[in-house]
Amino acid sequence: MRLLVRADDAGLCDAVNRAIAEVVTGGIAGNVSVMAPTPAFDQAAAMLLALGADRTHVTAGLHVTLSSEWQSPRWGPILPATDVPSLLDASGCFFPSPADLRATGRFDLDEAEAEVAAQLGKARTTGLEIRYLDEHMGVGRVLPGLGERLRDLARREALVYAPDLARLPPLTSASAGPGPDTDLADRIRAAEDGTYLMVTHPGIDTPELRAIRGVGYPDVGAVAAERDGDRRALLSADVRKACQDRGVTLISYTDLDAVEVPAPPS
C-alpha cells in the first residue's frame, strides 16, 4: 500500500506553518502546498527550505490561490491590482470563493493565468523547488476553462498537475470530532492494497487560529478544532503503527508514474 499525504495552506498563518513543520518532521506528511499570496508565505518558504524542500525531504507544490475565504486574514494578488481587476472584489482582495468570482460574470482567464504564473514565480524566487500544482478551493473545477489553462501551465513548467490524480482513492482523516487519529489508523488498516491520496489541513489550536472564521466556518474555534485534529492524526503513534503494520510506503507526487495519472478529459 502506498500513501501520498499532502498538507495544504502553508503560508496562511503561523499556527498553520508550525503545524506543517511538525507533521513533516514527526508525522507522515511529505507533500506541502504553499499559498504565495498569503501573509505568512515568507515564513512558510523559509521553514520548508530548512526542512529540505530545495532537495528531496519535502515535496513542495503551488496551491493556486484565487480566493480569500476568511474574515481575517484576507489577501489579494501578487500582480498589481490594475493587471487583474476581474479577480478582485471592492476591497481589492480576492473574492471569498471561486463561485463568488464566477458569479460576477467578468472573470478573465488571461488575468487568472497571469496571476498563477506570478504566484509560481514568487514561490520559486524563495529557492523552493516547486514540483506540483494544485488548487485552493477547487478553483480550476469551478471557473470555466481554468483547469485546462492550469494543466497546460503545469506541462510547460514540468510540474505534476495534482487534479489529474483525483481518481486516486481518497483516504481522508476525520478532522472534526473525537479520536481523529484512531479513525485514520482504522482506515489505513482496513484499506485494500493500492495507492491512496490523503489531503489534510494541519493547524495548531492557538488563539490566532481560533479567531479565523469564514466560508463554511461561521463559529469561533471551528477552524482550529478541525485543523488541530488533522495535525494530531498525522503525528499519532497509532497512525504510524498502522502504517508499519500495513507496510505503507509514503510517497510524493513525483513518485507517481504515468499509469497512475489518468489522461486529461478529451
PDB file of all heavy atoms in Angstrom, residues 30-62:
ATOM      1  N   GLY A  30       4.516  14.421   3.627  1.00  0.00           N
ATOM      2  CA  GLY A  30       5.737  14.694   2.890  1.00  0.00           C
ATOM      3  C   GLY A  30       5.542  15.613   1.705  1.00  0.00           C
ATOM      4  O   GLY A  30       6.497  15.956   1.017  1.00  0.00           O
ATOM      5  N   ASN A  31       4.287  16.018   1.454  1.00  0.00           N
ATOM      6  CA  ASN A  31       3.960  16.925   0.353  1.00  0.00           C
ATOM      7  C   ASN A  31       3.275  18.155   0.945  1.00  0.00           C
ATOM      8  O   ASN A  31       2.292  18.019   1.686  1.00  0.00           O
ATOM      9  CB  ASN A  31       3.016  16.244  -0.640  1.00  0.00           C
ATOM     10  CG  ASN A  31       3.603  14.962  -1.219  1.00  0.00           C
ATOM     11  OD1 ASN A  31       4.223  14.974  -2.267  1.00  0.00           O
ATOM     12  ND2 ASN A  31       3.402  13.851  -0.512  1.00  0.00           N
ATOM     13  N   VAL A  32       3.781  19.331   0.631  1.00  0.00           N
ATOM     14  CA  VAL A  32       3.278  20.564   1.239  1.00  0.00           C
ATOM     15  C   VAL A  32       2.918  21.560   0.146  1.00  0.00           C
ATOM     16  O   VAL A  32       3.747  21.882  -0.712  1.00  0.00           O
ATOM     17  CB  VAL A  32       4.315  21.182   2.191  1.00  0.00           C
ATOM     18  CG1 VAL A  32       3.806  22.511   2.740  1.00  0.00           C
ATOM     19  CG2 VAL A  32       4.634  20.225   3.339  1.00  0.00           C
ATOM     20  N   SER A  33       1.686  22.059   0.185  1.00  0.00           N
ATOM     21  CA  SER A  33       1.194  23.013  -0.803  1.00  0.00           C
ATOM     22  C   SER A  33       1.234  24.424  -0.231  1.00  0.00           C
ATOM     23  O   SER A  33       0.640  24.687   0.820  1.00  0.00           O
ATOM     24  CB  SER A  33      -0.239  22.659  -1.217  1.00  0.00           C
ATOM     25  OG  SER A  33      -0.269  21.389  -1.843  1.00  0.00           O
ATOM     26  N   VAL A  34       1.926  25.329  -0.930  1.00  0.00           N
ATOM     27  CA  VAL A  34       2.144  26.684  -0.433  1.00  0.00           C
ATOM     28  C   VAL A  34       1.235  27.673  -1.147  1.00  0.00           C
ATOM     29  O   VAL A  34       0.950  27.543  -2.341  1.00  0.00           O
ATOM     30  CB  VAL A  34       3.613  27.112  -0.587  1.00  0.00           C
ATOM     31  CG1 VAL A  34       4.525  26.212   0.222  1.00  0.00           C
ATOM     32  CG2 VAL A  34       4.052  27.104  -2.049  1.00  0.00           C
ATOM     33  N   MET A  35       0.776  28.674  -0.392  1.00  0.00           N
ATOM     34  CA  MET A  35      -0.099  29.731  -0.905  1.00  0.00           C
ATOM     35  C   MET A  35       0.730  31.012  -0.991  1.00  0.00           C
ATOM     36  O   MET A  35       0.990  31.671   0.024  1.00  0.00           O
ATOM     37  CB  MET A  35      -1.300  29.919   0.019  1.00  0.00           C
ATOM     38  CG  MET A  35      -2.095  28.648   0.274  1.00  0.00           C
ATOM     39  SD  MET A  35      -3.354  28.856   1.564  1.00  0.00           S
ATOM     40  CE  MET A  35      -4.633  29.729   0.663  1.00  0.00           C
ATOM     41  N   ALA A  36       1.122  31.380  -2.198  1.00  0.00           N
ATOM     42  CA  ALA A  36       2.034  32.511  -2.361  1.00  0.00           C
ATOM     43  C   ALA A  36       1.456  33.865  -1.952  1.00  0.00           C
ATOM     44  O   ALA A  36       2.206  34.729  -1.505  1.00  0.00           O
ATOM     45  CB  ALA A  36       2.540  32.564  -3.804  1.00  0.00           C
ATOM     46  N   PRO A  37       0.136  34.122  -2.083  1.00  0.00           N
ATOM     47  CA  PRO A  37      -0.364  35.454  -1.744  1.00  0.00           C
ATOM     48  C   PRO A  37      -0.616  35.680  -0.251  1.00  0.00           C
ATOM     49  O   PRO A  37      -0.961  36.799   0.139  1.00  0.00           O
ATOM     50  CB  PRO A  37      -1.698  35.543  -2.505  1.00  0.00           C
ATOM     51  CG  PRO A  37      -1.733  34.379  -3.424  1.00  0.00           C
ATOM     52  CD  PRO A  37      -0.897  33.332  -2.784  1.00  0.00           C
ATOM     53  N   THR A  38      -0.497  34.667   0.573  1.00  0.00           N
ATOM     54  CA  THR A  38      -0.940  34.759   1.961  1.00  0.00           C
ATOM     55  C   THR A  38       0.093  35.448   2.854  1.00  0.00           C
ATOM     56  O   THR A  38       1.275  35.509   2.527  1.00  0.00           O
ATOM     57  CB  THR A  38      -1.260  33.366   2.515  1.00  0.00           C
ATOM     58  OG1 THR A  38      -0.160  32.486   2.224  1.00  0.00           O
ATOM     59  CG2 THR A  38      -2.525  32.812   1.884  1.00  0.00           C
ATOM     60  N   PRO A  39      -0.353  35.985   4.008  1.00  0.00           N
ATOM     61  CA  PRO A  39       0.533  36.840   4.819  1.00  0.00           C
ATOM     62  C   PRO A  39       1.724  36.141   5.438  1.00  0.00           C
ATOM     63  O   PRO A  39       2.734  36.789   5.724  1.00  0.00           O
ATOM     64  CB  PRO A  39      -0.412  37.385   5.907  1.00  0.00           C
ATOM     65  CG  PRO A  39      -1.603  36.501   5.906  1.00  0.00           C
ATOM     66  CD  PRO A  39      -1.747  35.994   4.510  1.00  0.00           C
ATOM     67  N   ALA A  40       1.651  34.831   5.676  1.00  0.00           N
ATOM     68  CA  ALA A  40       2.770  34.119   6.307  1.00  0.00           C
ATOM     69  C   ALA A  40       3.528  33.252   5.310  1.00  0.00           C
ATOM     70  O   ALA A  40       4.186  32.286   5.694  1.00  0.00           O
ATOM     71  CB  ALA A  40       2.253  33.269   7.475  1.00  0.00           C
ATOM     72  N   PHE A  41       3.459  33.635   4.018  1.00  0.00           N
ATOM     73  CA  PHE A  41       4.140  32.829   2.998  1.00  0.00           C
ATOM     74  C   PHE A  41       5.649  32.828   3.187  1.00  0.00           C
ATOM     75  O   PHE A  41       6.296  31.783   3.061  1.00  0.00           O
ATOM     76  CB  PHE A  41       3.795  33.330   1.601  1.00  0.00           C
ATOM     77  CG  PHE A  41       4.679  32.744   0.542  1.00  0.00           C
ATOM     78  CD1 PHE A  41       4.510  31.436   0.121  1.00  0.00           C
ATOM     79  CD2 PHE A  41       5.721  33.483  -0.013  1.00  0.00           C
ATOM     80  CE1 PHE A  41       5.350  30.871  -0.844  1.00  0.00           C
ATOM     81  CE2 PHE A  41       6.562  32.933  -0.967  1.00  0.00           C
ATOM     82  CZ  PHE A  41       6.372  31.630  -1.378  1.00  0.00           C
ATOM     83  N   ASP A  42       6.244  33.984   3.456  1.00  0.00           N
ATOM     84  CA  ASP A  42       7.701  34.043   3.593  1.00  0.00           C
ATOM     85  C   ASP A  42       8.179  33.130   4.716  1.00  0.00           C
ATOM     86  O   ASP A  42       9.199  32.439   4.585  1.00  0.00           O
ATOM     87  CB  ASP A  42       8.158  35.478   3.842  1.00  0.00           C
ATOM     88  CG  ASP A  42       8.010  36.360   2.611  1.00  0.00           C
ATOM     89  OD1 ASP A  42       7.922  35.815   1.490  1.00  0.00           O
ATOM     90  OD2 ASP A  42       7.972  37.592   2.769  1.00  0.00           O
ATOM     91  N   GLN A  43       7.433  33.113   5.818  1.00  0.00           N
ATOM     92  CA  GLN A  43       7.763  32.213   6.926  1.00  0.00           C
ATOM     93  C   GLN A  43       7.662  30.761   6.471  1.00  0.00           C
ATOM     94  O   GLN A  43       8.528  29.933   6.791  1.00  0.00           O
ATOM     95  CB  GLN A  43       6.827  32.454   8.107  1.00  0.00           C
ATOM     96  CG  GLN A  43       7.094  31.548   9.295  1.00  0.00           C
ATOM     97  CD  GLN A  43       5.939  31.512  10.285  1.00  0.00           C
ATOM     98  OE1 GLN A  43       4.771  31.475   9.886  1.00  0.00           O
ATOM     99  NE2 GLN A  43       6.259  31.541  11.568  1.00  0.00           N
ATOM    100  N   ALA A  44       6.616  30.446   5.730  1.00  0.00           N
ATOM    101  CA  ALA A  44       6.427  29.066   5.257  1.00  0.00           C
ATOM    102  C   ALA A  44       7.563  28.651   4.331  1.00  0.00           C
ATOM    103  O   ALA A  44       8.081  27.536   4.439  1.00  0.00           O
ATOM    104  CB  ALA A  44       5.083  28.949   4.543  1.00  0.00           C
ATOM    105  N   ALA A  45       7.950  29.526   3.423  1.00  0.00           N
ATOM    106  CA  ALA A  45       9.017  29.189   2.491  1.00  0.00           C
ATOM    107  C   ALA A  45      10.330  28.944   3.225  1.00  0.00           C
ATOM    108  O   ALA A  45      11.040  27.971   2.943  1.00  0.00           O
ATOM    109  CB  ALA A  45       9.183  30.307   1.462  1.00  0.00           C
ATOM    110  N   ALA A  46      10.661  29.813   4.187  1.00  0.00           N
ATOM    111  CA  ALA A  46      11.899  29.634   4.949  1.00  0.00           C
ATOM    112  C   ALA A  46      11.870  28.328   5.735  1.00  0.00           C
ATOM    113  O   ALA A  46      12.873  27.603   5.815  1.00  0.00           O
ATOM    114  CB  ALA A  46      12.100  30.823   5.885  1.00  0.00           C
ATOM    115  N   MET A  47      10.706  28.005   6.295  1.00  0.00           N
ATOM    116  CA  MET A  47      10.558  26.763   7.047  1.00  0.00           C
ATOM    117  C   MET A  47      10.768  25.550   6.155  1.00  0.00           C
ATOM    118  O   MET A  47      11.504  24.616   6.503  1.00  0.00           O
ATOM    119  CB  MET A  47       9.169  26.718   7.675  1.00  0.00           C
ATOM    120  CG  MET A  47       8.778  25.398   8.315  1.00  0.00           C
ATOM    121  SD  MET A  47       6.989  25.283   8.556  1.00  0.00           S
ATOM    122  CE  MET A  47       6.424  24.889   6.889  1.00  0.00           C
ATOM    123  N   LEU A  48      10.151  25.570   4.978  1.00  0.00           N
ATOM    124  CA  LEU A  48      10.261  24.427   4.078  1.00  0.00           C
ATOM    125  C   LEU A  48      11.685  24.271   3.550  1.00  0.00           C
ATOM    126  O   LEU A  48      12.174  23.153   3.394  1.00  0.00           O
ATOM    127  CB  LEU A  48       9.274  24.579   2.923  1.00  0.00           C
ATOM    128  CG  LEU A  48       7.808  24.394   3.304  1.00  0.00           C
ATOM    129  CD1 LEU A  48       6.895  24.807   2.154  1.00  0.00           C
ATOM    130  CD2 LEU A  48       7.531  22.953   3.710  1.00  0.00           C
ATOM    131  N   LEU A  49      12.336  25.365   3.281  1.00  0.00           N
ATOM    132  CA  LEU A  49      13.727  25.285   2.844  1.00  0.00           C
ATOM    133  C   LEU A  49      14.599  24.666   3.937  1.00  0.00           C
ATOM    134  O   LEU A  49      15.475  23.842   3.660  1.00  0.00           O
ATOM    135  CB  LEU A  49      14.252  26.666   2.467  1.00  0.00           C
ATOM    136  CG  LEU A  49      13.714  27.223   1.144  1.00  0.00           C
ATOM    137  CD1 LEU A  49      14.089  28.684   0.999  1.00  0.00           C
ATOM    138  CD2 LEU A  49      14.246  26.418  -0.031  1.00  0.00           C
ATOM    139  N   ALA A  50      14.336  25.048   5.186  1.00  0.00           N
ATOM    140  CA  ALA A  50      15.097  24.478   6.302  1.00  0.00           C
ATOM    141  C   ALA A  50      14.838  22.983   6.448  1.00  0.00           C
ATOM    142  O   ALA A  50      15.704  22.229   6.901  1.00  0.00           O
ATOM    143  CB  ALA A  50      14.748  25.207   7.598  1.00  0.00           C
ATOM    144  N   LEU A  51      13.635  22.553   6.034  1.00  0.00           N
ATOM    145  CA  LEU A  51      13.281  21.137   6.128  1.00  0.00           C
ATOM    146  C   LEU A  51      13.729  20.331   4.912  1.00  0.00           C
ATOM    147  O   LEU A  51      13.574  19.118   4.895  1.00  0.00           O
ATOM    148  CB  LEU A  51      11.763  20.991   6.304  1.00  0.00           C
ATOM    149  CG  LEU A  51      11.181  21.526   7.611  1.00  0.00           C
ATOM    150  CD1 LEU A  51       9.663  21.410   7.597  1.00  0.00           C
ATOM    151  CD2 LEU A  51      11.752  20.797   8.809  1.00  0.00           C
ATOM    152  N   GLY A  52      14.244  21.010   3.903  1.00  0.00           N
ATOM    153  CA  GLY A  52      14.781  20.281   2.760  1.00  0.00           C
ATOM    154  C   GLY A  52      13.936  20.318   1.518  1.00  0.00           C
ATOM    155  O   GLY A  52      14.055  19.442   0.666  1.00  0.00           O
ATOM    156  N   ALA A  53      13.076  21.329   1.363  1.00  0.00           N
ATOM    157  CA  ALA A  53      12.212  21.380   0.185  1.00  0.00           C
ATOM    158  C   ALA A  53      12.959  21.813  -1.068  1.00  0.00           C
ATOM    159  O   ALA A  53      12.393  21.810  -2.154  1.00  0.00           O
ATOM    160  CB  ALA A  53      11.035  22.326   0.430  1.00  0.00           C
ATOM    161  N   ASP A  54      14.240  22.219  -0.925  1.00  0.00           N
ATOM    162  CA  ASP A  54      15.030  22.505  -2.113  1.00  0.00           C
ATOM    163  C   ASP A  54      15.747  21.255  -2.596  1.00  0.00           C
ATOM    164  O   ASP A  54      16.456  21.276  -3.598  1.00  0.00           O
ATOM    165  CB  ASP A  54      16.043  23.614  -1.825  1.00  0.00           C
ATOM    166  CG  ASP A  54      16.973  23.264  -0.666  1.00  0.00           C
ATOM    167  OD1 ASP A  54      16.592  22.408   0.154  1.00  0.00           O
ATOM    168  OD2 ASP A  54      18.061  23.849  -0.578  1.00  0.00           O
ATOM    169  N   ARG A  55      15.556  20.144  -1.876  1.00  0.00           N
ATOM    170  CA  ARG A  55      16.208  18.893  -2.261  1.00  0.00           C
ATOM    171  C   ARG A  55      15.143  17.802  -2.359  1.00  0.00           C
ATOM    172  O   ARG A  55      14.317  17.832  -3.255  1.00  0.00           O
ATOM    173  CB  ARG A  55      17.323  18.563  -1.258  1.00  0.00           C
ATOM    174  CG  ARG A  55      18.470  19.606  -1.316  1.00  0.00           C
ATOM    175  CD  ARG A  55      19.558  19.291  -0.304  1.00  0.00           C
ATOM    176  NE  ARG A  55      19.102  19.478   1.066  1.00  0.00           N
ATOM    177  CZ  ARG A  55      19.094  20.674   1.670  1.00  0.00           C
ATOM    178  NH1 ARG A  55      19.499  21.745   1.021  1.00  0.00           N
ATOM    179  NH2 ARG A  55      18.691  20.797   2.914  1.00  0.00           N
ATOM    180  N   THR A  56      15.141  16.838  -1.434  1.00  0.00           N
ATOM    181  CA  THR A  56      14.225  15.701  -1.607  1.00  0.00           C
ATOM    182  C   THR A  56      13.390  15.374  -0.377  1.00  0.00           C
ATOM    183  O   THR A  56      12.463  14.584  -0.464  1.00  0.00           O
ATOM    184  CB  THR A  56      15.025  14.436  -1.971  1.00  0.00           C
ATOM    185  OG1 THR A  56      15.992  14.175  -0.945  1.00  0.00           O
ATOM    186  CG2 THR A  56      15.737  14.616  -3.296  1.00  0.00           C
ATOM    187  N   HIS A  57      13.693  15.947   0.798  1.00  0.00           N
ATOM    188  CA  HIS A  57      12.991  15.526   2.009  1.00  0.00           C
ATOM    189  C   HIS A  57      11.518  15.929   1.986  1.00  0.00           C
ATOM    190  O   HIS A  57      10.655  15.193   2.455  1.00  0.00           O
ATOM    191  CB  HIS A  57      13.677  16.117   3.244  1.00  0.00           C
ATOM    192  CG  HIS A  57      13.054  15.675   4.532  1.00  0.00           C
ATOM    193  ND1 HIS A  57      13.014  14.348   4.919  1.00  0.00           N
ATOM    194  CD2 HIS A  57      12.417  16.361   5.510  1.00  0.00           C
ATOM    195  CE1 HIS A  57      12.399  14.249   6.081  1.00  0.00           C
ATOM    196  NE2 HIS A  57      12.023  15.456   6.456  1.00  0.00           N
ATOM    197  N   VAL A  58      11.226  17.100   1.449  1.00  0.00           N
ATOM    198  CA  VAL A  58       9.855  17.594   1.369  1.00  0.00           C
ATOM    199  C   VAL A  58       9.562  17.923  -0.086  1.00  0.00           C
ATOM    200  O   VAL A  58      10.376  18.546  -0.765  1.00  0.00           O
ATOM    201  CB  VAL A  58       9.659  18.863   2.221  1.00  0.00           C
ATOM    202  CG1 VAL A  58       8.199  19.310   2.153  1.00  0.00           C
ATOM    203  CG2 VAL A  58      10.077  18.632   3.657  1.00  0.00           C
ATOM    204  N   THR A  59       8.394  17.519  -0.567  1.00  0.00           N
ATOM    205  CA  THR A  59       7.967  17.869  -1.912  1.00  0.00           C
ATOM    206  C   THR A  59       7.021  19.056  -1.820  1.00  0.00           C
ATOM    207  O   THR A  59       5.937  18.946  -1.231  1.00  0.00           O
ATOM    208  CB  THR A  59       7.266  16.684  -2.597  1.00  0.00           C
ATOM    209  OG1 THR A  59       8.180  15.591  -2.679  1.00  0.00           O
ATOM    210  CG2 THR A  59       6.807  17.053  -3.989  1.00  0.00           C
ATOM    211  N   ALA A  60       7.438  20.180  -2.370  1.00  0.00           N
ATOM    212  CA  ALA A  60       6.631  21.396  -2.302  1.00  0.00           C
ATOM    213  C   ALA A  60       5.829  21.574  -3.580  1.00  0.00           C
ATOM    214  O   ALA A  60       6.305  21.278  -4.684  1.00  0.00           O
ATOM    215  CB  ALA A  60       7.530  22.614  -2.079  1.00  0.00           C
ATOM    216  N   GLY A  61       4.604  22.056  -3.425  1.00  0.00           N
ATOM    217  CA  GLY A  61       3.749  22.349  -4.562  1.00  0.00           C
ATOM    218  C   GLY A  61       3.126  23.720  -4.429  1.00  0.00           C
ATOM    219  O   GLY A  61       3.080  24.287  -3.328  1.00  0.00           O
ATOM    220  N   LEU A  62       2.655  24.261  -5.541  1.00  0.00           N
ATOM    221  CA  LEU A  62       1.962  25.549  -5.527  1.00  0.00           C
ATOM    222  C   LEU A  62       0.469  25.309  -5.357  1.00  0.00           C
ATOM    223  O   LEU A  62      -0.151  24.604  -6.153  1.00  0.00           O
ATOM    224  CB  LEU A  62       2.223  26.317  -6.819  1.00  0.00           C
ATOM    225  CG  LEU A  62       1.541  27.685  -6.876  1.00  0.00           C
ATOM    226  CD1 LEU A  62       2.212  28.667  -5.922  1.00  0.00           C
ATOM    227  CD2 LEU A  62       1.542  28.242  -8.298  1.00  0.00           C
TER     228      LEU A  62
END
